[in-house]
Amino acid sequence: MIINYLEKLFVTSDAATMMQEMEVQHPAAKLLVLASQMQEREIGDGSNYVIVIAGELLKQASGLLDLGLHPSEVIKGYMKASEEAIKALDGSC
């Protein structure tokens, strides 16, 4: 249930609708909103998955930063993991 800035009440389980109606200030959260909207536009579904996986990636990155890793090291690690995941997916087809 969401009440938007016009005080209109929305009751929905659709993540894309929720994301559209929220006023987000935090830069990382804005990226999640944009990713959700892009997924909805391109595929028409799966915005819940985008939000969950991106949120978990951010949570794990936060833990790595707490351990003292530099943000650029975290980014390099995620890029390498992305490349490996794409290779694995391409090999399975």
Side-chain angles (χ1 to χ4, degrees), residues 31-45:
L31 288 175
L32 289 175
V33 171
L34 289 173
S36 170
Q37 290 172 346
M38 286 175 53
Q39 176 74 13
E40 187 71 20
R41 265 186 254 136
E42 293 291 322
I43 308 299
D45 194 18

Side-chain angles (χ1 to χ4, degrees), residues 12-88:
T12 182
S13 64
D14 180 36
T17 301
M18 287 185 237
M19 290 286 140
Q20 285 176 340
E21 296 302 324
M22 291 177 20
E23 288 184 43
V24 178
Q25 301 299 319
H26 193 278
K30 285 183 182 182
L31 288 175
L32 289 175
V33 171
L34 289 173
S36 170
Q37 290 172 346
M38 286 175 53
Q39 176 74 13
E40 187 71 20
R41 265 186 254 136
E42 293 291 322
I43 308 299
D45 194 18
S47 54
N48 290 357
Y49 176 74
V50 168
I51 293 166
V52 169
I53 193 78
E56 186 61 27
L57 288 170
L58 287 171
K59 180 178 165 185
Q60 295 300 317
S62 176
L64 294 171
L65 295 173
D66 290 344
L67 290 173
L69 269 69
H70 192 273
S72 65
E73 294 172 316
V74 175
I75 293 167
K76 285 179 189 174
Y78 277 171
M79 294 299 291
K80 184 170 174 84
S82 171
E83 292 166 6
E84 292 298 320
I86 291 170
K87 281 183 198 173

